[in-house]
Amino acid sequence: MSVRGWLTSFSGLSLGFKSSVGDAMSVVSRAPELERPSGDVKHRSLQVVGTREREVDASVWRRRHARALLLGDLIVLALALGTAQIAKFGFMAAPEVDGLGITYAGLGLALAVVWWASLQMNQSRNPLVVGHGSEEYRRVIVATFRVFAVLAMVSLVLKIDASRLYFATAFPLGLVGLLVERKLARVGLHRARKQGMATVRVLVVGGERTATELAKWFAKHKTAGYEVCGVWVPDESMPLAIVQEGAIASVPVMSSHTDFAEALAISGATTVVVTDTEHLGHESLRDLAWQLEGSNIDLILSPNVLNVSSSRLYLQDVSGMPMLHVSEPQYAGAARLTKRLFDIVGATAILVVATPLFVATALAIRLSSPGSVFYRQERIGRRGDSFGMIKFRSMRSDADSQLASLLAAEGKSLSELPKLTKDPRVTPVGAFIRRFSIDELPQLLNVIKGDMSLVGPRPQRDFEVAQYDHVAHRRLTVRPGMTGLWQVSGRSDLAYSEAISLDVHYVENWSMMTDLSILWRTARAVVGSDGAY
């Protein structure tokens, strides 16, 4: 979200900054030792890094990543269109396209350039979207569909008769290739950020409390690539301090004793995040933006809204005053016809493809241990309604009657919602099908019936739901799923409270792109048998 629109609405009150940002660029690379003031805050000498040096370091990764995407997109498109030509004509010389007067090689070259340009026009390489969420992938998909929509209209108007096989090969191959390439690029970027590289240094303008919360959030989500390196509280008077403990340890906290330009130089920040406008006053943001103009330092206004997806945020102009509108939670969309059709078609397709595995698993269970092939257990679904969830039996037939005693032997109880450290009830075949989540396949029948969805919060048992608080109860507003956000974010290795938080986030911010992303990540997790439950 651009903050320029926010800033133009503020006028009048000046912060009275003592120097411009240009002065900060010439600050020497070392500051004198700080005296220890009275109070409980510990201090140490601070090494100050020039802002220009930090600016170069912070921007290098953006330029490299942008160049990698430019080149990677072009290579993928060339391979996709070249493969499409080989699929249609083999390695022989391609003929001319009927009604166009150029060969398929020329058509492929023109299409690659237009496709590549469409990705740029749709800002799919914008540093603000790459590496974060599903927006980058959405823009790649939109850019691709636009190219072929325009191509279809041009072909109709000019009466171009091109090979359908050529386009039927080029279109999906190019789209899948681009998405895979973007994913690989993101994996490399996230790996660098986790190692402390490719991160943006942030100066937080606001209160120490909001700065601490922001620092905790960035520390928890290292792949976001932000690091708090300074806090400036402009409406308070206190000496420059270096916090030694907590979420903002080793971060300088400054106030009106330090002007804005000096705060930038001391922190070495390349991005300024305003977390609390009350500390600046009504109109001082405009002055701050003017000071940053031409400095290549980004300005971000944080609305202090967590766990709300960008699709629910709208910048609304109210008589010249920009207002951030937060739409209602999206769980109502998860009950619409589109998702239901997607569930039915998807579950049916998976069931057809997995029929041989389905039959082989049933035979293995029947021949390896006495009891039924399937296991049915009462679970709580949408609106608190109970239903019978079906799984392949992976335990001995008397497993339920032994649970309480086995938990007691490990010093646990049902009220703690625990899992057994080592479950002796699991059969050898059961251990294998659990490892690869094959035991979950019969739930496709629950999906087709309407009790469950392909993606959603996992269905819980009645004694677990009985312990829900008002937050956890939000899980019951949608159909439970075969897989969900918390499964692909850690699966059974995740703490219970974190699992609840992720499920509620999914419910509040549902979208079809989220469902597709979770299904893709589930397939990867199952193949890797990572954290299976």
Side-chain angles (χ1 to χ4, degrees):
M1 179 186 66
S2 172
V3 298
R4 299 296 181 186
W6 287 71
L7 302 175
T8 54
S9 65
F10 298 94
S11 60
L13 182 63
S14 172
L15 281 173
F17 295 130
K18 298 177 182 177
S19 60
S20 67
V21 174
D23 297 331
M25 303 306 169
S26 61
V27 175
V28 293
S29 61
R30 189 170 59 197
E33 285 194 359
L34 303 170
E35 295 182 358
R36 182 189 301 270
S38 60
D40 298 330
V41 183
K42 300 179 181 179
H43 305 81
R44 62 173 173 79
S45 61
L46 173 67
Q47 294 296 110
V48 181
V49 181
T51 305
R52 184 171 298 280
E53 179 184 342
R54 285 297 184 183
E55 176 187 327
V56 172
D57 292 342
S59 62
V60 165
W61 71 267
R62 287 190 176 183
R63 292 198 299 268
R64 288 178 178 174
H65 195 71
R67 286 196 297 266
L69 292 182
L70 285 169
L71 181 59
D73 290 347
L74 197 56
I75 292 174
V76 167
L77 295 177
L79 290 174
L81 293 164
T83 302
Q85 181 172 320
I86 293 173
K88 173 60 179 175
F89 305 106
F91 292 95
M92 60 185 294
E96 288 189 353
V97 182
D98 292 341
L100 196 57
I102 62 173
T103 64
Y104 276 90
L107 174 62
L109 179 61
L111 189 55
V113 172
V114 172
W115 200 340
W116 185 83
S118 178
L119 292 168
Q120 185 68 21
M121 290 167 56
N122 282 273
Q123 299 188 44
S124 69
R125 307 181 187 105
N126 190 322
L128 298 179
V129 300
V130 297
H132 303 284
S134 60
E135 179 63 17
E136 178 184 3
Y137 303 129
R138 189 193 70 82
R139 294 190 182 191
V140 169
I141 294 172
V142 169
T144 300
F145 274 92
R146 283 179 176 174
V147 168
F148 279 85
V150 171
L151 180 64
M153 288 188 291
V154 171
S155 298
L156 183 62
V157 171
L158 300 181
K159 298 181 180 180
I160 298 172
D161 188 15
S163 168
R164 292 181 177 84
L165 176 60
Y166 177 82
F167 290 123
T169 305
F171 174 65
L173 196 59
L175 179 57
V176 171
L178 287 170
L179 294 176
V180 171
E181 175 238 342
R182 294 305 182 95
K183 177 60 179 178
L184 294 175
R186 180 174 294 194
V187 168
L189 179 60
H190 286 181
R191 185 179 295 114
R193 286 173 172 173
K194 287 180 179 179
Q195 295 172 355
M197 301 179 290
T199 57
V200 175
R201 294 174 62 84
V202 173
L203 172 66
V204 178
V205 178
E208 191 171 343
R209 178 184 60 82
T210 55
T212 300
E213 293 175 353
L214 194 65
K216 287 180 179 179
W217 183 264
F218 288 156
K220 183 179 179 181
H221 302 84
K222 292 184 181 296
T223 57
Y226 290 95
E227 175 189 5
V228 175
C229 59
V231 180
W232 189 54
V233 189
D235 61 347
E236 290 190 12
S237 178
M238 60 184 182
L240 170 59
I242 305 299
V243 179
Q244 297 279 34
E245 300 174 354
I248 53 174
S250 302
V251 170
V253 178
M254 298 157 278
S255 67
S256 59
H257 281 312
T258 307
D259 63 44
F260 180 60
E262 292 172 344
L264 274 175
I266 290 172
S267 63
T270 58
T271 296
V272 175
V273 177
V274 180
T275 62
D276 193 344
T277 56
E278 183 63 26
H279 286 271
L280 285 176
H282 295 292
E283 300 168 347
S284 299
L285 274 173
R286 182 192 60 188
D287 297 332
L288 187 149
W290 286 349
Q291 291 235 7
L292 292 176
E293 190 172 3
S295 66
N296 291 324
I297 295 178
D298 293 331
L299 177 60
I300 301 174
L301 185 61
S302 171
N304 290 321
V305 178
L306 299 180
N307 290 318
V308 177
S309 67
S310 58
S311 62
R312 291 176 56 197
L313 301 177
Y314 302 92
L315 191 61
Q316 183 180 12
D317 188 288
V318 181
S319 300
M321 171 70 75
M323 304 289 285
L324 188 64
H325 179 77
V326 182
S327 65
E328 293 183 355
Q330 301 298 304
Y331 56 81
R336 291 175 183 162
L337 182 61
T338 303
K339 182 172 172 64
R340 182 68 188 128
L341 287 175
F342 177 77
D343 285 338
I344 294 173
V345 174
T348 303
I350 296 172
L351 198 58
V352 171
V353 173
T355 295
L357 179 61
F358 207 98
V359 173
T361 303
L363 288 174
I365 294 172
R366 172 66 73 180
L367 297 175
S368 63
S369 63
S372 63
V373 170
F374 299 107
Y375 172 74
R376 186 179 182 277
Q377 188 178 69
E378 289 296 314
R379 294 292 179 105
I380 305 301
R382 186 183 175 199
R383 295 189 294 266
D385 298 333
S386 62
F387 70 97
M389 189 182 75
I390 311 171
K391 300 176 70 173
F392 278 125
R393 182 174 58 84
S394 60
M395 297 183 179
R396 298 196 299 262
S397 56
D398 59 348
D400 284 344
S401 62
Q402 300 178 18
L403 179 59
S405 60
L406 290 172
L407 286 173
E410 292 189 4
K412 302 174 183 177
S413 67
L414 284 174
S415 61
E416 298 170 341
L417 311 182
K419 290 182 180 292
L420 290 169
T421 305
K422 187 175 182 180
D423 199 332
R425 302 172 299 165
V426 179
T427 65
V429 171
F432 178 83
I433 63 176
R434 279 186 165 206
R435 179 182 178 187
F436 294 98
S437 299
I438 299 173
D439 60 322
E440 310 284 350
L441 279 178
Q443 291 168 36
L444 292 167
L445 301 175
N446 288 119
V447 174
I448 295 173
K449 183 181 176 182
D451 295 327
M452 295 177 62
S453 175
L454 288 175
V455 182
R458 284 295 292 170
Q460 304 296 314
R461 299 181 67 178
D462 52 359
F463 66 86
E464 294 174 307
V465 174
Q467 300 181 55
Y468 278 3
D469 57 15
H470 71 286
V471 175
H473 261 285
R474 303 292 282 182
R475 301 170 103 191
L476 304 180
T477 56
V478 300
R479 287 187 180 90
M482 291 183 63
T483 185
L485 186 57
W486 74 261
Q487 284 92 337
V488 298
S489 302
R491 305 185 79 186
S492 59
D493 302 325
L494 213 59
Y496 177 75
S497 60
E498 292 179 295
I500 292 290
S501 177
L502 288 170
D503 274 346
V504 171
H505 177 83
Y506 169 83
V507 170
E508 300 277 293
N509 302 284
W510 174 86
S511 71
M512 283 304 303
M513 281 299 300
T514 301
D515 277 8
L516 292 172
S517 175
I518 290 174
L519 287 173
W520 168 251
R521 293 164 65 185
T522 298
R524 290 177 52 210
V526 168
V527 171
S529 63
D530 179 25
Y533 45 86

